[in-house]
Structures are given as structure tokens and as C-alpha cells.
Amino acid sequence: MNEKSYSQVMGEQSGILTLKLDTAEPIELGDFVGAFTSIANEFERYVADTYPGAKADPRIYLREVRSGCVEADMITGLTIAAGVVINNMDQILILEEFVRRWGRRMTALITNKVPDGELDTTAQLNDYYRATESIAADPLASHRLTATAFEKDGPQIRVAFQFSAVEARTAQQNIDDRKKLLTKPDSVPHRRVLMRYTRTDVHDATVNKRSGERVLIAEISEKEMPVMYASELAEQEIREIIREADENAYKRGFVVDVMVQASGEKMTHYAVTAFHSVIDLD
């Protein structure tokens, strides 16, 4: 009995987001749901990033389903912490700026020109990918997101962003490529860093495969890590010093070039690419 009707809920809003999917072919249920939840997820991130103390709880209402068109409204569900005030005008501005950000980021994925520091998590990329799936397979389809304000003269569209099926397929390819980059080992060499062994092995290791040794490179990380040799020459020079030196190898520091190898965002080991010199440590 306490459930509000769609018209009652809409009457309480100063503005809403509306997603419209125009298609020539039927949409799979999973793609249909993903198109809406991806926007809701990104909206929650936007509010958390932009308005500390505010929280979004987006709710989606399916407005219309007909041949060739699916349309749904999303209300923000904004809740405000103590000391934070967001009035009706602010809420409309939030919706407008969100659509602009959504458009900028989707355009960046379509053109493969994503600014540094943006869309650098797999979760975000997955959401943008899901937003494209509902239209990517339909050559005539389009995806349109609008921010609408309710004014005295009726609802007014303030901002809109639309992309086509062709653009959706391009974005998918670029998203896949970007996700691969996130899991790719660091290709930037760290030059002339001081490497200290915490576990050694006098036997030769296979090039480009991890040895049983561990090292500490304080300039990069405070944790000791496994090491491999990307250069046979570097390994031979270092191994010769370890085998023949009168001093304990653990009391010596090796000046080397290394690359950090990673799996996702987790560093896994170092790859030594060049050896320069050895020094005695205090």
C-alpha cells in the first residue's frame, strides 16, 4: 500500500536521466539490463568522486517498450551527509554534468584518446563495454542518454549524448585493447637502480624465466621480489661476481637496469635488462 506510482515518483523529482535504445533487432535480456546498470554504476562513481559526503542510489523505471525502441528513466536517489546541501538546481546540474562526462568518456573510447588518469580500472571499462552491447550487433541501432529538468513549462532536455552501433563496435575494440594494457607488464625501464640480493643461486637461470633468487630494489619497492634475467650478458656478469667474489654477495649492491613485471595492478617480479657495476654496501 505504501508503494508509490510512477507518476508520483516522477512528480517528486527535479530532474531525471533517460536512456533510449533505438533498435531494428530484438535486444537480448542480459544486454538490455546491462545498458541500464552500467549507467547506474558510473553515476554512483561520479557522485562519490565529485561530491564527498553525498551518495547515490539510482533507481531505474522502465517507461516504454515497443517495436524498435526501449526507454527507461533513472532517478538519482541522492542522499546527503551532514553539512552537505544539494538543492533542486544542484541536482539538475549534477545530472547535466554526468551526461557530459559520460559523453566525453564514451567519445574518448570511440576515438581511442582516453586522457591519462581516466578509465584506468577494469570495473569501469566493463561498464562502458556493457553499455555498448545492447546496440553493437544491430547496424541501425543507437544509444541516447539525456538529462531532463522538470520546469514550469514541462520537461526540458538539458543535455543529450548519442552514439551509433558502428561507434559501439569501435569502442568495444578499444576497450578490449585498453583492458589488455592494464594487465601488461610495465614496459618502462628503471635505469641504474641499486639491486641487493636477499636470496642467491650460483647456477645459471634460463633467460626470460624466473630464477629462484629474490632481490630488493628500495627505489622501486620496499618488498623483496623474485628476479629474472632478460639479458644473458647481464646474468653472466652478475653470476660471475656472485661466484668469484671474496665478499658475501649479500653485502654487495648491483647497479642495474630493470623492468617491473606485473599481473594486473600487482607487481610480480623484476626483469634485469642490463648490468652496470657493483658496489660494497655498508
Side-chain angles (χ1 to χ4, degrees), residues 17-19 32-48 55-61 72-78 95 98 101-102 123-124 127-128 130-131 143 145:
L17 296 174
T18 300
L19 175 62
F32 165 77
V33 173
F36 301 115
T37 57
S38 59
I39 292 174
N41 290 342
E42 185 66 2
F43 184 77
E44 288 186 79
R45 293 189 194 100
Y46 167 71
V47 171
K55 184 179 180 181
D57 182 22
R59 283 172 285 166
I60 297 169
Y61 293 84
D73 296 326
M74 189 186 88
I75 63 174
T76 63
L78 281 172
L95 296 178
F98 171 72
R101 185 172 94 153
W102 175 266
Q124 277 187 300
D127 278 329
Y128 278 87
R130 280 192 291 268
H143 175 295
L145 182 66

Side-chain angles (χ1 to χ4, degrees), residues 13 47 51 87 110 129 154 162 170 179 182 198 219 279:
Q13 307 305 309
V47 171
Y51 297 91
N87 57 34
I110 292 168
Y129 192 97
Q162 179 172 312
T170 302
K179 286 167 69 176
L182 290 180
T198 58
E219 185 177 325
I279 63 174

